[in-house]
Each structure stands twice: as structure tokens, then as C-alpha cells.
Amino acid sequence: MLRFDWFLAHRAEARQGRVRGVLRRLGPSWLASPGRRAVQAVFLLLFAALTFYVVWPYTAEPLWQSPGWTPVSVDAVGGAVVLQADDAALPPSLGQRVFLSTIDNGRTRVFGAFTVAAIDGGQLTVHPADDAAKARLDGLAEVFQACTLSAGDPAAWPSHYADDLLRKERLPAETLLSLDPLVGVSTAAAARRINAALYFGAVVLLLCAVVPRVFCGYICPLGTLIDCFDGMIARLGRLIGRRANRHDAAVAASGSFRGRWRFGMLAFVLVAAGTGTVVTGYTAAIPVLTRGTVALLRPPLTAAARGWHQAPPWTPAHSAAVLTLFGVMGLSLFGRRFWCRVLCPTGALCSLPALVSVGVRRVDHRCVKCGKCREICAFDAIAPDYSTRAADCTFCQDCGGACPAGAIHFVPRWSKQDERDNAELTARHGAAKPGAAMPESGPGPAALVGSSRRAWMTVLAGGAAGGLCGWAIGSGRGRSESVVRPPGSLPEAIFLETCVRCFHCIQACPNDALRPMGLEFGLDALWTPRLAADWSGCEPSCANCGQVCPTGAIRPLPIEEKRFARLGLAVVDQAACLPYAGRAECRHCVDQCERAGYRAIEFVRVGTEFDDQGRPIEDTGFLAPVVLADRCVGCGQCESRCFSVNVIRETLLERSAIRVEAGDGKDDRIETGSYAERRRSQGDQPPSNQPADAYLPDFLK
């Protein structure tokens, strides 16, 4: 008979097996339930991959372009074009599909797609890739001037950031945030609207009805990190000669309020959500982890990729996010998994399906009451009589792996496995093994929060506190309506009821244009994203913030739709603007708006001098910017340019002379519908398709 002693040694034998020896070095829980630890590791790595690779924007590369190609000959009949390269031209590869374009009277003229047929030194032979390009060969024959080769259609709106996210997103970037059931439940209750996270959360709760608290024991990456931190504390305790196991003392300290505080926190969150206030972002497991890790790691990662000068400044909002995460993990100093056992409202919500759970933990007659199961259980789910506390058990199976007698089973509720085991023992030994099967904790409210009056009073007090908190925060709502939000954000009231402050949009934003808010607009707006246009404007080629939002607080807009969404309106401060003040010529905002493709700023002449006859004197005054409201989308490119040059580099101004403002009809915040149709119905001009030079794409026809 084939045996697997090489992998895991038999309980009755002294040999431990090679793999078992490795697991023993990793820790007792690895030895007891390696499968569960492997699943935890997979979800932790998945969290890291989604947050710091898929959502990370700087793997995107702009559209490949190579200027400096001059047509030498054009054979319109044979369909061949020979191009001569200058010294700076970058040759494409043989067989590559390229687009050929040129600047004609300030406009980008595209001749279509061509295929590279031959490369001979500095000359390139290309053939039309389709009939449309072949039909334009006559036009190319008339324009013997420098052309540009592009990997993509230069007439299309730039989308390399959005395309890069789509390329990497084999799994939705917000998957783990959506799997936190408290995220979907609370935001749906607060906004009175169904979102995608609610469906994911419902699936997780259904799984918890099969495998109790499967989210806490297997999926939650925050719980896995807390486990790692617990292991570090245990190893440190052994190194300094103190007891590594703090579990018994923690149980004695926290056992009296084990169910009370966790379910009190859940009542607080849900009642606050019922009043329209979302406090989930401050307490739910995955938002706490995502926000803390992004705030901590985004600046150094940006510095490593682009230099420290590109890293955003550290703010009190970042500090609060990091301290919250460290505080949650630091609670383990009071006992293993202290946050998960005592305070986590997500864990409390996942405990509710224990009332009807299919799986149960059972202990048969072989139990010798050695206490090893209670010692290894990080969730304090085993009572002093070795029965199971249904609200705390996560089916991690650590106790089953640690049991020397093999007396613990994780089986369906209707299983008769323990009876068969006892019958086998009776047949083998002639009598049942001494001891009695431990009672199985039955379903019911008492199994969740305890039967004491104090426990239920804690839950009621948590609900009352949530109601008061929701009322207090909601009474001050409305102060943040002037904040410039990401493109596609829902109306401010619904946005605050839906956003879970997870920092996912901030992580996905190129150039850190989105920044977390502090307390300047109250607790209700804390950690919500805003556009920091003085630092960087919204990228025309990016729509990532809506694509990674787990609750739909930011609508997932296609790049073709996003370019029409108004974040706000650029307003010129004439008291500060250099031309209006008569101090100097300046065209930074105009040039930047042209580069962004919107062309929403034009010049007017101000400060013109007049002669004695009242006629304007030629070349007097300054050209000053005027914002065209029907074209401006409030991307902030103009503000970031003015701030970086006139305020930071040249120190000519104390503040930017052009700023993006929101509210009072200056932005578009709609729940449904098309931004493009809305703009057209209002008679607004679409974003311009004319760039300032040949290096920029011809955005939109």
C-alpha cells in the first residue's frame, strides 16, 4: 500500500517527514493546516499583485512615435512609399504596422496604416495596409515634408494608461475590496442603491453559510498579515526568553466581551449606514489594509520609478491612514488576532451565517483533553469544555491538525462520521475510549453574542452610537460640494454615501493627481479623493479611477466618454495673472491646454495703450487668457502648469493664477447617462482635435 510518510509523517510514528519538518519551522499553524496557510498566501499575493501591479499606472508606455521621415517616392499605382530617415528617426521593425501622418497648416493629417516591407539603411519601404490608406497615396505624393510614424492611430484620443490597465486586468482590480461583505452591504444601505460590491459580498456570505467565517480564515489579507505579525511576536518572545504564547492571558482579558464588542461595532456601522453615513472605510478589513498600504508604499514606489521630485508630499491624511493600519495590527500585542476576534465588524458580519451554517466542528470520544487545540486556536473558538463557539470558528482546522488523538472533525451538520469513528473504536478495543463526545454549539442568537444582558446592551449601544454618529456627520454634509472630484464621480451626497475611502483610485492615478482629503471639510469627507490640480492635472489618456472603484462611487467610464466629463471649470484670477496685471507675457496655460487636446483657452489683448486720437497703439498691452466654458472640462492641466512654473520654478506668483473650481453648475455629476450627450444637448463644443505640434495626437474629429 502506497504511503505518504515522506510528506506528512504518521501521528503514531516518530518520523516527521521532510516537508513536515519545513512546516514545523514555519510555525505551528503551518504544521497543523498547511492547506489553509497556502490559500491565505495565495490571497495575500493576489492582493499585492492587484494593488501594486494591476492598479500601478507606471507600467504604461505612451504611443510609439518616430518623427523625421521624409517621403522620397510615392508609387500610387503599385502601392509603395519610400521614406528617408533623418538622424533622430527611430526605425520600426520589419512587418510592423505603422500610421503615417504629418502636420499640414497646423493640423495633423493622417494618411492611414501602412506595413513595413523593407528596411535599407536609412530608407524605409512601406505598403498600404488597407484600401483607405491606398486611397490617400495621391495626397501623400503632394506633401513631400517631414512625416511621423506612429504605432497607433494618431487621430485617436490617447489611451495608453487606460489600455495598460485593461491589458493587466485579468481579474478585476477591485476584486478583494468587493469580496469584503461589509463594503457592499453598508454602501448599498447608505446610498439606497445596489452596487457591484453588494453582489460579491452576498456570495461571500453564502460561502460563510457553508464554511463558517471563510472570509476571515482564508481570504482576508489583513488577517493573514496579522497572523504574520503574531508569528513575529511569538519568535521575538522566544528570543528574549519570555512566553511566546500570549493567547491564554488574552482569552482571560477579552473573553468577557468577545462577542459584545465585535457585534457592537457591526451595529455601529450598519446603523450609521442606515442614516446615510458610511463609516465602513474606517473599520472594514480590506479598506483599512488597502488605504494603509497605498499611503505607506505609494510615495517610495513613485520615487523609485520616477524620482523623489515626483513623489507627492506627505499629508496628515496619509499619516492617519498608516497609523490606523498599524494600530489594527498592533492590537495583537494584547493577544493573537485581537482585532479579528474582538473588534472587526467584517468578522461579525461573516459570523451571522453561523446561525444556519452547513459545516460544523465536532469532537469525538478520543479527546484526551490535552488542551493543544485551545492553545493553537487564534480565534478563541474552543470553549473550556472543548465545544465550539460557532460565532468564532473559522474552519481554519488548526485544532484538527494539532490534535494528537485525531478527535476533531470538520464535517457537514448531518454527518455521522463521529458515530462511525466511535463504533470503529469499540470494535477495535472492545469498548469505547474513555471520555465523552463534546457538545456541539447549536445555532441561535446566543451562539453569536452570548446570552448575557451585558452583551445585548453592548450591541444596542453600538447601534445607538452609530445613529448619533450618522446624524452628527450628516448634519454637516454639503460643505464639500465645491471639491473637485475625479471624472465620473456621482453627485456629492451619493458619492459620500458610496465611497469607502480605500485609496484604490489614488493608487491608479498617474502623476498623483488624486489626493486624499483631510479634515478641512469635516469627518464625512476624510480620505475621499480630490483632484490636486496644483500638483498635476487629470491625464487625458487615463480613466483608471472609475475602473478600479469597488462601489461605483466613481463611474467606470470608457476613455471616449471620459473626455467629455466635466470635473469643474478653470477660472482665471485676473489679480494674479501676469498678463492681466500688466507684468509680463505668459502663455503657459494656453499651451498646456492645447497639449491636453481641449483647446479651451484663448487669448484676448488687454492693457492696450491709446494715442491722443484714441486709436490703439500697435504692439501695446498683453495677450491674456480667456477660458471657453463650453470646451473646458476642468482637467487642471492649466493650473498645474501655472503653479509649477510661475509659483515653484520662477517664484513670480504666490498662488496659481488659474484654478479649477467645482459646484454651482461648473461640473457634471450624474448618476446615469452619457456625458457626451449631455454636453451636446447643452450646445457645448466637444474637445478639440488639434494638437499644438507634431508630437501630440490628433485627438478627436
Side-chain angles (χ1 to χ4, degrees):
M1 179 178 178
L2 182 64
R3 299 183 61 181
F4 297 93
D5 294 345
W6 181 87
F7 181 74
L8 292 175
H10 194 274
R11 299 177 186 274
E13 297 180 3
R15 292 183 297 113
Q16 68 172 8
R18 298 177 185 178
V19 175
R20 191 174 177 86
V22 174
L23 296 176
R24 187 183 298 277
R25 293 187 183 94
L26 291 176
S29 60
W30 274 95
L31 183 63
S33 54
R36 175 242 182 176
R37 284 302 193 189
V39 173
Q40 282 186 301
V42 168
F43 276 101
L44 182 60
L45 292 175
L46 179 62
F47 167 78
L50 291 177
T51 306
F52 297 104
Y53 173 68
V54 175
V55 183
W56 180 247
Y58 297 127
T59 54
E61 295 183 0
L63 182 71
W64 178 86
Q65 291 183 326
S66 176
W69 296 90
T70 304
V72 175
S73 65
V74 178
D75 183 1
V77 177
V81 179
V82 178
L83 304 170
Q84 180 67 43
D86 62 17
D87 295 336
L90 299 175
S93 59
L94 190 64
Q96 181 178 348
R97 180 186 174 94
V98 296
F99 284 80
L100 188 62
S101 62
T102 188
I103 299 297
D104 188 9
N105 295 324
R107 298 175 61 89
T108 300
R109 185 176 178 183
V110 182
F111 297 101
F114 293 79
T115 303
V116 178
I119 301 176
D120 184 11
Q123 286 193 343
L124 193 70
T125 302
V126 296
H127 293 161
D130 50 38
D131 293 339
K134 190 172 183 178
R136 297 191 183 106
L137 288 179
D138 291 335
L140 179 60
E142 300 172 359
V143 184
F144 277 87
Q145 61 187 41
C147 295
T148 298
L149 297 181
S150 307
D153 186 357
W157 190 272
S159 59
H160 59 282
Y161 283 115
D163 294 340
D164 182 63
L165 176 64
L166 183 63
R167 175 184 63 83
K168 295 183 296 183
E169 206 174 26
R170 298 290 185 268
L171 192 68
E174 67 277 13
T175 296
L176 283 179
L177 277 162
S178 300
L179 287 179
D180 189 325
L182 191 58
V183 169
V185 171
S186 60
T187 53
R192 275 75 169 175
R193 65 199 306 266
I194 295 176
N195 55 61
L198 180 62
Y199 295 113
F200 282 95
V203 171
V204 172
L205 292 178
L206 287 175
L207 288 176
C208 289
V210 178
V211 180
R213 291 188 67 178
V214 65
F215 177 83
C216 305
Y218 292 83
I219 298 175
C220 180
L222 177 60
T224 304
L225 284 180
I226 292 176
D227 275 340
C228 295
F229 186 64
D230 289 345
M232 292 173 57
I233 295 175
R235 292 179 184 274
L236 181 61
R238 286 194 293 269
L239 287 175
I240 63 178
R242 296 183 179 179
R243 283 192 64 195
N245 186 6
R246 309 165 320 287
H247 182 59
D248 294 338
V251 169
S254 64
S256 61
F257 51 79
R258 178 189 307 107
R260 289 193 291 139
W261 289 100
R262 189 168 77 240
F263 286 94
M265 287 282 288
L266 177 62
F268 174 84
V269 171
L270 294 182
V271 173
T275 66
T277 300
V278 176
V279 295
T280 311
Y282 311 129
T283 57
I286 310 298
V288 167
L289 175 62
T290 307
R291 181 176 58 246
T293 53
V294 169
L296 181 65
L297 299 179
R298 175 66 188 263
L301 289 176
T302 301
R306 314 186 74 190
W308 276 109
H309 66 288
Q310 292 286 356
W314 191 266
T315 66
H318 290 85
S319 300
V322 174
L323 289 176
T324 301
L325 176 61
F326 283 177
V328 167
M329 298 186 63
L331 289 173
S332 289
L333 295 172
F334 299 101
R336 285 183 295 167
R337 285 275 196 146
F338 188 91
W339 166 260
C340 307
R341 290 187 294 109
V342 178
L343 294 174
C344 180
T346 300
L349 182 61
C350 292
S351 296
L352 295 178
L355 290 168
V356 293
S357 66
V358 173
V360 293
R361 172 187 175 272
R362 285 177 179 165
V363 183
D364 66 24
H365 290 77
R366 288 175 288 188
C367 177
V368 295
K369 299 182 175 60
C370 64
K372 290 186 177 181
C373 56
R374 298 197 67 216
E375 181 180 342
I376 200 172
C377 181
F379 288 89
D380 190 24
I382 303 175
D385 63 354
Y386 299 97
S387 64
T388 307
R389 296 187 176 110
D392 299 313
C393 182
T394 65
F395 260 47
C396 68
Q397 303 188 46
D398 285 355
C399 57
C403 179
I408 301 175
H409 310 280
F410 294 86
V411 296
R413 189 176 297 277
W414 57 83
S415 174
K416 303 297 183 181
Q417 180 65 41
D418 53 345
E419 297 179 5
R420 290 194 294 267
D421 289 344
N422 291 330
E424 180 183 348
L425 285 172
T426 301
R428 182 182 303 174
H429 300 286
K433 194 176 180 68
M438 302 306 151
E440 173 190 319
S441 58
L448 295 176
V449 298
S451 57
S452 68
R453 181 182 304 174
R454 185 181 300 177
W456 288 103
M457 289 299 295
T458 302
V459 174
L460 294 176
L468 290 175
C469 178
W471 173 81
I473 293 176
S475 62
R477 183 168 296 170
R479 292 183 292 169
S480 59
E481 290 184 352
S482 60
V483 175
V484 182
R485 296 295 188 186
S489 296
L490 298 178
E492 186 66 11
I494 304 177
F495 178 84
L496 294 176
E497 294 167 350
T498 312
C499 176
V500 291
R501 287 80 170 163
C502 62
F503 280 25
H504 234 211
C505 56
I506 294 172
Q507 172 73 351
C509 180
N511 306 328
D512 296 281
L514 294 183
R515 303 277 289 281
M517 292 183 62
L519 293 172
E520 57 267 29
F521 288 97
L523 186 63
D524 198 28
L526 176 64
W527 289 328
T528 57
R530 68 175 180 88
L531 179 69
D534 56 347
W535 179 265
S536 177
C538 182
E539 286 280 352
S541 62
C542 176
N544 292 354
C545 52
Q547 300 297 331
V548 303
C549 180
T551 61
I554 306 172
R555 294 175 59 190
L557 301 177
I559 195 71
E560 295 80 8
E561 183 75 15
K562 178 255 183 181
R563 64 182 180 232
F564 291 96
R566 291 192 306 169
L567 287 69
L569 178 67
V571 177
V572 178
D573 184 354
Q574 297 187 7
C577 183
L578 297 176
Y580 278 109
R583 296 174 57 187
E585 292 279 3
C586 180
R587 56 176 300 125
H588 292 306
C589 59
V590 177
D591 291 343
Q592 190 68 22
C593 190
E594 288 181 343
R595 292 190 182 98
Y598 294 102
R599 299 180 68 89
I601 305 178
E602 293 183 349
F603 277 133
V604 296
R605 185 166 291 277
V606 298
T608 303
E609 299 179 6
F610 299 88
D611 58 18
D612 296 338
Q613 285 76 34
R615 292 175 297 185
I617 301 176
E618 188 177 358
D619 296 331
T620 60
F622 297 96
L623 291 176
V626 173
V627 178
L628 305 178
D630 60 344
R631 292 187 178 183
C632 179
V633 297
C635 68
Q637 295 280 347
C638 54
E639 180 178 347
S640 64
R641 182 65 175 171
C642 181
F643 187 86
S644 62
V645 175
N646 292 330
V647 178
I648 301 299
R649 189 173 71 189
E650 304 293 341
T651 64
L652 297 174
L653 300 173
E654 295 182 357
R655 64 182 186 275
S656 176
I658 185 169
R659 295 187 296 276
V660 177
E661 298 179 357
D664 298 329
K666 297 176 181 177
D667 54 13
D668 290 334
R669 306 282 292 274
I670 56 178
E671 293 186 62
T672 58
S674 169
Y675 289 93
E677 294 299 328
R678 178 183 175 91
R679 296 289 297 276
R680 293 191 183 101
S681 66
Q682 294 173 345
D684 292 350
Q685 296 293 324
S688 171
N689 64 341
Q690 294 309 312
D693 53 58
Y695 294 89
L696 298 168
D698 189 358
F699 288 127
L700 180 65
K701 293 183 177 180

